[in-house]
């Protein structure tokens, strides 16, 4: 199974700052990765697919990059509604796997 | 508007069975692959099972293989998960998720249905 390791586990930032979240795969997944945002009591929301493509309706302050084993989600100028947990996912091989999550909290 | 709505969760004893349902609307159900993803309380996301749009291809996480069965009825726009031999570690919120066209990531999720396995 492909293991996805997200870091850091918790990111404490203030509104207006830039968040940089990392996801590292145990083997190459090419560009077959996605990022999700989850707020308390809500289902996940797709933000980024194929490593760098924003899903429909996702603000431009969210961007994804990377390929192979290293991926990054960047959130520029954090808004209050961006404080949440973020998960990466790979679809390169079965079983589909998710990272353990990064919580972006208000500092 | 795309919607997926899960039902069927509840409290069940270890060793028991439960059948989850997911009603889909707002899109052409029979053209989309579907999946179940679960989340234990306070934990991360775990993919459980997936099914192709024509009901011919299914796959499972090792943790549920042999105990869970995914199916769909395209005439009813519905997805199902039959869960047998339930264990305490199956306790989780179960989400129905629509796969993006030709890709196994998920663009629409339901609100989830909670399954609690406890005596």
């Amino acid at each position: 199974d492909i293991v996805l390791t997200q870091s850091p586990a918790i990111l404490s930032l203030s509104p207006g700052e830039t968040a940089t979240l990392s996801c590292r795969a145990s083997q190459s997944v090419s560009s077959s990765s996605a990022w999700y945002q989850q707020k308390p009591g809500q289902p996940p929301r797709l933000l980024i697919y194929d490593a760098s493509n924003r899903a429909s309706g996702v603000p431009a302050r969210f961007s994804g990059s990377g390929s192979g084993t290293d991926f990054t989600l960047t959130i520029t100028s954090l808004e209050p509604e961006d404080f949440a947990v973020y998960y990466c996912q790979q679809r390169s091989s079965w079983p589909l796997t998710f990272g353990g999550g990064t919580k972006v909290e208000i500092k | 508007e795309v919607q997926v709505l899960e039902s069927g969760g509840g409290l069940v004893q270890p060793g028991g069975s439960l059948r989850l349902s997911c009603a889909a609307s707002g899109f052409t159900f029979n053209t989309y692959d579907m999946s179940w993803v679960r989340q234990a309380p306070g934990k991360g996301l775990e993919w459980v099972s997936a099914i192709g749009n024509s009901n011919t291809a299914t796959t499972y996480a090792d943790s549920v293989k042999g105990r869970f069965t995914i199916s769909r009825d395209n005439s009813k726009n519905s997805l199902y998960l039959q869960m047998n031999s339930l264990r305490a570690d199956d306790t989780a919120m179960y989400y129905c998720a629509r796969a993006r066209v030709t890709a196994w990531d998920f663009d629409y999720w339901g609100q989830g249905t909670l399954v609690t396995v406890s005596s």
Side-chain angles (χ1 to χ4, degrees), chain A residues 56-76:
Chain A
S56 176
V58 175
R61 63 181 181 273
F62 291 90
S63 63
S65 63
S67 65
T69 60
D70 291 294
F71 300 89
T72 301
L73 175 69
T74 302
I75 314 170
T76 57

Side-chain angles (χ1 to χ4, degrees), chain A residues 11 13-19 21 36-39 45 47 58-59 61-62 73-86 102-106:
Chain A
L11 194 53
L13 295 168
S14 300
E17 292 191 298
T18 294
L21 287 66
Y36 300 86
Q37 175 194 66
Q38 188 178 32
K39 298 179 181 179
R45 172 196 179 195
L47 296 176
V58 175
R61 63 181 181 273
F62 291 90
L73 175 69
T74 302
I75 314 170
T76 57
S77 191
L78 280 163
E79 297 285 344
E81 61 266 29
D82 300 335
F83 292 92
V85 179
Y86 293 84
T102 291
K103 181 179 182 179
V104 179
E105 65 175 24
I106 299 176

Side-chain angles (χ1 to χ4, degrees), chain B residues 3-7 21-25 27 29 76-79 96:
Chain B
Q3 288 191 336
V4 289
L5 181 63
E6 306 91 339
S7 61
S21 299
C22 170
S25 61
F27 64 101
F29 184 69
K76 296 182 178 179
N77 289 348
S78 292
L79 176 72
C96 168

Side-chain angles (χ1 to χ4, degrees), chain A residues 36 38 43 49 87 89 91, chain B residues 39 100 104-106 109-110:
Chain A
Y36 300 86
Q38 188 178 32
Y49 64 91
Y87 296 96
Q89 180 225 327
R91 61 174 182 84
Chain B
Q39 187 170 36
R100 229 170 22 92
W104 283 105
D105 44 44
F106 305 108
W109 298 64

